[in-house]
Amino acid sequence: MSEELKTLILPETMTPDIERTLGLMCFECAKYAHAFKKGGEDIAPRAENEQAAVIFKVLKNVLSGMTFEDAFCKMHYEAVEAQSHGNTRVGEKA
């Protein structure tokens, strides 16, 4: 097992930051997933897939030692960046 993978293993107990991450609702995640899709990520157009993609991004950061707030902010800025570099309409670059 790689060292990177070892650092992403879940701890024995749920922390408040992990709980907040896993508790993100579909409607909270949709706009971020849409931004990542505009940036070229392949996320299926189902609410559950969009939610999972966003939670996974935040959870990786939380498991690396960030607080939920910092992890969510990082994901937010990544989504803004992805959207700004993505397509505004089919076939047209921003």
Side-chain angles (χ1 to χ4, degrees):
M1 182 180 303
S2 73
E3 290 303 312
E4 181 181 345
L5 184 58
K6 287 179 185 176
T7 63
L8 294 177
I9 293 175
L10 292 172
E12 290 295 317
T13 59
M14 184 169 1
T15 66
D17 291 319
I18 292 171
E19 185 174 15
R20 286 186 66 192
T21 302
L22 295 176
L24 288 170
M25 303 297 290
C26 288
F27 63 85
E28 295 174 289
C29 298
K31 61 186 169 190
Y32 293 105
H34 295 174
F36 287 118
K37 285 193 258 188
K38 282 185 177 181
E41 290 195 32
D42 185 21
I43 302 170
R46 293 179 54 237
E48 295 84 354
N49 297 91
E50 294 172 349
Q51 180 185 33
V54 171
I55 287 174
F56 186 69
K57 289 176 181 296
V58 177
L59 185 60
K60 286 192 312 183
N61 291 326
V62 167
L63 293 176
S64 74
M66 293 177 138
T67 65
F68 171 80
E69 290 81 8
D70 289 343
F72 193 88
C73 283
K74 182 175 188 268
M75 181 276 305
H76 171 88
Y77 289 117
E78 289 170 351
V80 170
E81 185 70 17
Q83 182 170 305
S84 70
H85 288 99
N87 294 330
T88 54
R89 292 187 296 191
V90 175
E92 181 180 322
K93 284 290 193 184

